[in-house]
Amino acid sequence: MMLYVINGEDVPDSLEKRMAARPEHLKRIQALQEEGRLVLAGPYPAIDSQDPGTAGFSGSLIVAEFDSLQAAQAWADADPYVSSGIYQKVTVKPFKKVLPA
């Protein structure tokens, strides 16, 4: 197993679509957490605020363990935020955690 970064970039004005797809999106991430594979996950607020309100979010970051880059890419491709047209671009890269040790 190795760590991978999944970086999703939202289409403009994605908030309404995000809210509709969020329960299924979170269910998949919670499964990674239950399996002990999740390092962190969360959205990028579109403005400099913990709660961006109607400004919404500009994307999301997930760092988790997968068997391979192909497995991480397949998992990312199956995300509800992809199928719902929320993410306009998803980048998946291998990641080496150095700190905190």
Side-chain angles (χ1 to χ4, degrees), residues 79-95:
D79 194 284
Y81 282 9
V82 172
S83 57
S84 297
I86 295 155
Y87 289 156
Q88 61 183 335
K89 179 181 180 188
V90 178
T91 305
V92 180
K93 294 182 178 183
F95 179 75

Side-chain angles (χ1 to χ4, degrees), residues 1-100:
M1 287 263 209
M2 186 168 161
L3 291 177
Y4 295 88
V5 169
I6 300 169
N7 184 64
E9 298 176 32
D10 283 23
V11 298
D13 302 315
S14 62
L15 187 59
E16 189 174 324
K17 284 183 179 181
R18 253 183 181 269
M19 293 300 101
R22 188 169 187 262
E24 288 302 311
H25 171 76
L26 287 180
K27 187 185 294 184
R28 298 178 78 241
I29 297 170
Q30 287 165 342
L32 290 176
Q33 182 175 1
E34 289 165 8
E35 294 164 9
R37 296 168 47 200
L38 182 67
V39 175
L40 64 86
Y44 302 121
I47 59 173
D48 190 11
S49 173
Q50 276 286 92
D51 181 4
T54 58
F57 301 91
S58 63
S60 301
L61 174 72
I62 299 168
V63 180
E65 280 186 328
F66 292 92
D67 289 329
S68 66
L69 179 58
Q70 293 78 15
Q73 185 69 59
W75 187 91
D77 289 345
D79 194 284
Y81 282 9
V82 172
S83 57
S84 297
I86 295 155
Y87 289 156
Q88 61 183 335
K89 179 181 180 188
V90 178
T91 305
V92 180
K93 294 182 178 183
F95 179 75
K96 181 178 177 181
K97 181 181 175 214
V98 174
L99 295 171

